[in-house]
Amino acid sequence: MKTSRVIWALLVLAGVTMVVSQAQNPPAQHNYKYEVANQQTVEGIVSDTRDYSCPVSGALGAHIVIKSVGSEIEAHLAPVTFLKQYDININKGDRVTVVGSRIVYEDKPALIAKTVTVNHDTYNFRDDKGRPLW
């Protein structure tokens, strides 16, 4: 009986310590938003496509990595469901032109895409003020 009280007390103490520690060191929060003043155009070849839980879109997001002369940059497109809804397919090896707002994501330059042009098709992900179209 005494052993169970000691274990219970240790568990409660560990829980309180974790709560206090998280309150003192909250996880980094980023407010990624489209800023027209940071808009730029990047041309290159898609070297990778990635779908993952994205803090920019707030959903399972579609992303492409664009390789241009001497550099690579990731573009955050839109939720995967948006691309599926409009049958938007961007693949490795596609030559693209991306217009987007430059941000820093995971300590690397990135873009929040407004438009992506593949061949003669232009896909719009945001309006002229940078508001999402999904």
Side-chain angles (χ1 to χ4, degrees):
M1 200 60 147
K2 194 172 191 174
T3 304
S4 64
R5 286 186 195 161
V6 170
I7 292 173
W8 178 251
L10 289 174
L11 288 174
V12 169
L13 181 61
V16 169
T17 302
M18 284 178 27
V19 169
V20 169
S21 173
Q22 287 178 351
Q24 291 174 347
N25 301 315
Q29 296 291 321
H30 298 283
N31 186 14
Y32 298 107
K33 65 180 186 173
Y34 196 98
E35 294 189 26
V36 176
N38 293 337
Q39 190 168 286
Q40 69 180 73
T41 302
V42 174
E43 296 180 19
I45 304 293
V46 176
S47 63
D48 197 9
T49 61
R50 303 172 181 162
D51 296 342
Y52 59 84
S53 180
C54 181
V56 175
S57 67
L60 178 62
H63 307 81
I64 58 174
V65 178
I66 306 135
K67 185 173 179 90
S68 58
V69 180
S71 68
E72 282 190 337
I73 190 165
E74 183 173 12
H76 298 257
L77 305 181
V80 170
T81 55
F82 182 82
L83 276 73
K84 287 181 182 180
Q85 179 181 358
Y86 291 99
D87 199 27
I88 299 171
N89 294 301
I90 302 171
N91 303 298
K92 289 182 187 179
D94 286 343
R95 178 169 291 284
V96 296
T97 301
V98 179
V99 176
S101 177
R102 192 170 188 102
I103 61 169
V104 175
Y105 177 71
E106 293 185 344
D107 298 323
K108 295 183 234 170
L111 292 173
I112 300 174
K114 179 177 129 187
T115 64
V116 177
T117 302
V118 183
N119 298 320
H120 300 291
D121 297 321
T122 298
Y123 304 108
N124 295 303
F125 299 106
R126 293 176 176 269
D127 67 15
D128 288 337
K129 294 184 179 179
R131 292 180 297 229
L133 296 174
W134 59 86

